Amino acid sequence: MRRFWSSISRPAGLSLLFLLSPQVIAAGESFPVSIRVDAAKATGELKPIWRFFGADEPNYAYMKNGRKLVGELGEMAPKRVFFRAHNLLTSGDGTPALKWGSTGAYREEQGKPIYDWTILDRIFDTYLERGVRPYAQIGFMPKDLSIKPEPYQHKWTPRARYEEIYTGWAYPPKDYEKWAELVFQWVKHCVEKYGRAEVETWFWEVWNEPNIGYWRGTPEEFRKLHDYAIDAVRRALPTAKVGGPDTAGSGGRFMRAFLDHCLRGTNHATGKVGTPLDFVAFHAKGAPVYTNGHVRMGIANHLRTIDDGFQIIASYPELKDKPIVIGESDPEGCAACQGPQLAYRNGTMYSSYTAASFARKHDLAEKHGVNLEGALTWAFEFEDQPYFAGFRSLASNGIDKPVLNVFRMFSRTTGKRLSVQSDNAASLEDILRQGVRGKADVAALASLDTNRLCVLIWHYHDDDVAGPDAAVALTLEGLGFDKATLQHFRIDQGHSNAFTAWTKMGSPQNPTAEQYAQLEKAGRLAALEPSKTVQAEKGRMSVAFELPRQAVSLLVLSW
């Protein structure tokens, strides 16, 4: 601690604001971290890549807690948040299950198509009424169109083999013209219901992870499926935003064959050269393990996949400026699965991982010179499940988890990205090579938007074990004000953390109304200290505070 105090007291003429609580100071030793932000050095626009979410189960969106959570997502950036869901064309009555949903949009009577948009409209209405827009996934195959319709609905549980989900919905259509007409009628209906200008803002893509078991046809058959669907979308709305292929991982050879086809191949539907491609999408996941009695995250796997995906796309000159959406970007691959290696999900490991990984997605885009539009978090909520049951989700029974508050922090970091230096940041090269396995990663992302400066700081390590606090000395330079209001938001064990509050209550599965209200409050983004007026001298000021392991702080200066 003596090293910390001496390190922040050396610069002369700085206005120091110490945001330390007695409880933290008494907690024991900490290590010093120096972070410098230069408000006069912008490195370009800080794109809001965080504003994409998704889930396997589309029907949860219009249920009680689903509606609540969609609304909370929309509040963060109204009409700029997008939601991607599987099973939008799957046959069924809308009754959800784990990794399952349905809309009954298509059936046949005596070989003639019957369209029913009732459930699809309910899903999209829920989004749009709450400030969220569709990232519309065209899939999966309706039972009456599938070449192998039986068995159709799977009975998967977290104890089952993952491969058991691949049933009749995963197969090619028996008639590509009927498939195309279904897509055409759907998009035409959306334009008529919601208006051309609205639907022009949506993303449209075909299927999910067609390079693995989600597609039971050949790669060439997928390209045919894709061509027919995209042609149908564009016939219904010539200005629609279309892309894909949302591969599992970077896609490798499958991705290259797809891009070659879209850019230079013969279109299966039109016979012309090429298929419209307004954006490119692939997926990236981490790989946590359970070792020596604790979870060890796999951030290196996650970021290496993004690195590979960007490299593939950047190798095509025609795609240099095309928007890229990482259509699923998560610490691991299965939101509905459970297991000891997934025990990170309820607490601050998930939130600190999210802060550290999203910052590096920006860095990787800069490294490859690509246009990263979004990184989609495949996590939502699971209706009618036990509280904090261990699923990868943003909320549990309407109670927000710590990770959701990271996105609330992201939503405030707008404008230009600023130059940041931290003497305890893990380098991008080291994280790609080995993750964060040695010293902790204490680093920051900063933004400047007119009269608001934000600094997001995280304390991350791959291993979910206790560690010393970071004694952060934050220096801000190039400031254009003499006086400002400082707000300090925090996610840690005692702030913005409903899971900790729930466990302190005794982990009730039937909380009282009073307990539920307390948990709702605990789940919101919380301030570490009351807002304060601070002074800058000659464009410089300093802020010091302790940042526990797995904690995330957001400092907001406004003037």
Side-chain angles (χ1 to χ4, degrees), residues 14 73 211 226 238 264 311 318 401 439 454 501 507 533 559:
L14 298 184
L73 298 180
N211 56 328
H226 178 267
R264 296 180 279 273
Q311 185 175 32
E318 305 97 317
K401 292 185 177 182
K439 70 175 185 177
C454 296
S507 307
T533 299
W559 59 94

Side-chain angles (χ1 to χ4, degrees), residues 191-437:
V191 172
E192 292 170 349
K193 179 175 174 60
Y194 302 110
R196 179 190 183 102
E198 172 60 39
V199 182
E200 282 177 334
T201 68
W202 303 359
F203 293 78
W204 293 89
E205 59 91 9
V206 183
W207 223 254
N208 175 68
E209 300 185 344
N211 56 328
I212 61 171
Y214 280 90
W215 176 246
R216 292 313 223 190
T218 66
E220 183 67 19
E221 285 174 321
F222 171 73
R223 293 190 286 272
K224 183 176 181 180
L225 181 90
H226 178 267
D227 285 353
Y228 271 86
I230 296 303
D231 178 63
V233 173
R234 282 291 184 86
R235 283 191 286 113
L237 181 60
T239 51
K241 190 185 304 180
V242 296
D246 274 284
T247 53
S250 61
R253 291 181 180 178
F254 186 101
M255 175 65 89
R256 288 193 177 276
F258 174 85
L259 295 176
D260 288 340
H261 174 76
C262 289
L263 295 172
R264 296 180 279 273
T266 300
N267 188 293
H268 289 278
T270 67
K272 298 177 182 179
V273 175
T275 305
L277 191 64
D278 297 319
F279 65 95
V280 183
F282 66 92
H283 299 172
K285 306 285 186 174
V289 297
Y290 190 76
T291 179
N292 297 321
H294 70 273
V295 175
R296 168 174 279 186
M297 304 299 285
I299 197 172
N301 303 64
H302 190 173
L303 296 177
R304 279 198 296 261
T305 302
I306 297 173
D307 194 36
D308 291 343
F310 287 171
Q311 185 175 32
I312 291 172
I313 296 166
S315 70
Y316 290 84
E318 305 97 317
L319 302 178
K320 178 176 175 56
D321 298 321
K322 291 288 185 184
I324 297 170
V325 179
I326 309 171
E328 295 181 24
S329 188
D330 304 288
E332 33 71 31
C334 176
C337 294
Q338 296 171 317
Q341 79 280 11
L342 306 178
Y344 73 89
R345 293 166 162 181
N346 288 328
T348 53
M349 174 57 92
Y350 193 3
S351 46
S352 60
Y353 178 103
T354 299
S357 63
F358 265 80
R360 274 48 187 245
K361 295 169 194 178
H362 287 287
D363 295 340
L364 286 168
E366 183 177 343
K367 170 186 173 182
H368 291 281
V370 296
N371 180 11
L372 178 58
E373 178 74 14
L376 191 149
T377 296
W378 198 256
F380 185 52
E381 68 101 19
F382 293 85
E383 206 81 14
D384 298 323
Q385 296 290 337
Y387 280 75
F388 300 99
F391 298 116
R392 191 177 73 233
S393 59
L394 304 175
S396 176
N397 286 278
I399 304 300
D400 298 340
K401 292 185 177 182
V403 67
L404 185 56
N405 286 308
V406 174
F407 294 103
R408 291 189 172 112
M409 289 180 169
F410 286 155
S411 72
R412 299 178 186 225
T413 56
T414 59
K416 300 294 185 180
R417 186 176 182 183
L418 300 179
S419 174
V420 176
Q421 294 179 324
S422 170
D423 64 3
N424 215 94
S427 71
L428 180 61
E429 294 74 20
D430 284 346
I431 296 179
L432 290 172
R433 184 172 61 253
Q434 63 187 16
V436 183
R437 303 290 171 85

Side-chain angles (χ1 to χ4, degrees), residues 454-514:
C454 296
V455 186
L456 180 73
I457 306 175
W458 57 88
H459 183 171
Y460 172 75
H461 197 284
D462 275 348
D463 289 302
D464 190 8
V465 296
D469 294 355
V472 176
L474 171 65
T475 301
L476 304 171
E477 302 174 338
L479 301 175
F481 61 83
D482 296 323
K483 183 186 296 185
T485 299
L486 174 65
Q487 296 173 286
H488 189 159
F489 301 96
R490 167 65 64 79
I491 305 168
D492 59 20
Q493 290 300 312
H495 300 86
S496 315
N497 192 333
F499 178 63
T500 298
W502 179 73
T503 55
K504 286 182 178 178
M505 288 179 180
S507 307
Q509 284 301 328
N510 295 290
T512 64
E514 181 181 358

